[in-house]
Amino acid sequence: MKLLNEILRGILIGIANIIPGVSGGTMAVSMGIYDDIIYSITHLFTDMKKSIRTLFPYILGAGIGIVCLSFIIEYLFLHFPIQTNLCFIGLILGGLPIITKRIKIKRSDFSHSLIFILFFALIIGMQLLGGQGTKDVTIQISLFEIIKLFLIGAVASATMVIPGVSGSMMLMIIGYYNPIISHINLFIKALVALNFDQLIQSSMILVPFGLGVVIGIFLIAKIIEILLKHYESHTYCAILGLVIASPIAILMGIHSTTFNLPILLTSAITFIIGLIIARFAGQE
């Protein structure tokens, strides 16, 4: 049962990471597993057995979420955008008690409030930038582009680890979301068709991006571990700002103008379902 619960959590993290505006880090925090994941990433080589045991079900679940359920989520967002978004908002808000328990403030401190406001504003600002739309870039293979892809992968992965910040939204803002997704699809099709020319071409784009993703995850995880160790309350105030801003950013991203009683009722139901799932996934 515990393994199934961990895989379920991984599925939610995987789905969240591929949806612009939703953060896998937020899902991890809301389910109370963020600290464990950060520790396991940063101690992968020094405490390998424990780290692999912790990360494996989450990685497996994330893989299932991305590969097997992404098309279902795409369908739901296309045909039921409000209900689907409200479900994710329920998932996020359902984990708030877990976060607030970690903020141990003995006396009123202006610095905690300031950090909360700054990181809250960061998410709203990113959503405003992303909502304006950015023209997709055209990726041309060159040494400069390979270095750029590595750096973009590092930045995108770092934002995937930080709660409240959507790595997919970051890629969309800078115009690389659709090109990267397109090359992933091209790579899969070329692999099935054994088209080696296309495999090589797509690999020259995806490999540097993927290396950047791996480096970025390890780097930002180490930074977050240090912050949690020495400035836990301040760090969780920042995380709380990011997480509370996330539902607002999600609502800002809803472009549907159709609201009626059935939509409102079904949205309320999916919101409650999200709260229930978050409560279940947050239990040990």
Side-chain angles (χ1 to χ4, degrees), residues 7 20 22 25 28 32 44 46 77 108 121 143 147 190 195 224 260 266-267 281-282:
I7 293 174
V22 185
L44 183 60
T46 57
F77 269 100
S108 179
L143 179 60
I147 296 172
N195 185 340
I224 291 174
N260 52 45
T266 52
S267 297

Side-chain angles (χ1 to χ4, degrees), residues 3-202:
L3 179 63
L4 184 63
N5 192 5
E6 290 172 343
I7 293 174
L8 170 63
R9 294 171 178 178
I11 290 173
L12 294 175
I13 292 171
I15 293 173
N17 266 329
I18 62 175
I19 300 172
V22 185
S23 166
T26 301
M27 289 293 104
V29 170
S30 297
M31 294 181 290
I33 57 175
Y34 187 71
D35 289 12
D36 290 339
I37 290 177
I38 292 296
Y39 176 90
S40 298
I41 292 173
T42 56
H43 293 80
L44 183 60
F45 300 108
T46 57
D47 194 358
M48 185 173 292
K49 185 176 180 180
K50 180 180 178 181
S51 295
I52 291 176
R53 167 64 189 85
T54 300
L55 292 175
F56 176 74
Y58 300 133
I59 294 173
L60 176 62
I64 294 172
I66 292 171
V67 175
C68 299
L69 300 180
S70 58
F71 70 96
I72 299 176
I73 294 298
E74 184 179 10
Y75 174 85
L76 291 175
F77 269 100
L78 181 63
H79 297 283
F80 308 100
I82 299 174
Q83 295 92 330
T84 307
N85 276 294
L86 262 293
C87 182
F88 273 97
I89 290 174
L91 286 168
I92 293 169
L93 295 182
L96 281 179
I98 295 175
I99 304 173
T100 54
K101 286 179 182 177
R102 303 300 299 270
I103 302 177
K104 302 170 184 176
I105 304 176
K106 296 181 179 179
R107 59 185 177 82
S108 179
D109 190 336
F110 175 73
S111 63
H112 290 90
S113 301
L114 179 61
I115 289 172
F116 171 85
I117 292 170
L118 287 175
F119 281 86
F120 178 92
L122 172 66
I123 298 304
I124 303 301
M126 281 186 61
Q127 180 60 40
L128 290 172
L129 287 173
Q132 293 175 1
T134 304
K135 186 178 179 181
D136 291 337
V137 301
T138 301
I139 301 176
Q140 296 179 343
I141 299 173
S142 65
L143 179 60
F144 174 75
E145 190 68 44
I146 288 173
I147 296 172
K148 189 176 179 181
L149 283 165
F150 175 83
L151 295 174
I152 288 171
V155 171
S157 68
T159 56
M160 291 175 189
V161 175
I162 299 173
V165 185
S166 168
S168 298
M169 178 61 74
M170 177 64 71
L171 288 175
M172 188 168 284
I173 290 171
I174 60 180
Y176 274 81
Y177 180 76
N178 288 323
I180 292 296
I181 294 297
S182 176
H183 276 284
I184 291 174
N185 292 333
L186 285 172
F187 181 86
I188 294 172
K189 291 177 181 178
L191 187 62
V192 172
L194 296 178
N195 185 340
F196 294 104
D197 289 339
Q198 184 61 58
L199 279 173
I200 293 172
Q201 184 177 357
S202 295

Side-chain angles (χ1 to χ4, degrees), residues 186-238:
L186 285 172
F187 181 86
I188 294 172
K189 291 177 181 178
L191 187 62
V192 172
L194 296 178
N195 185 340
F196 294 104
D197 289 339
Q198 184 61 58
L199 279 173
I200 293 172
Q201 184 177 357
S202 295
S203 295
M204 292 186 70
I205 291 170
L206 295 177
V207 169
F209 178 80
L211 289 173
V213 167
V214 173
I215 297 298
I217 287 174
F218 276 95
L219 180 61
I220 196 65
K222 190 63 182 177
I223 293 173
I224 291 174
E225 182 187 41
I226 294 171
L227 290 174
L228 287 173
K229 182 178 180 180
H230 297 286
Y231 309 99
E232 183 179 17
S233 292
H234 286 87
T235 303
Y236 269 100
C237 279

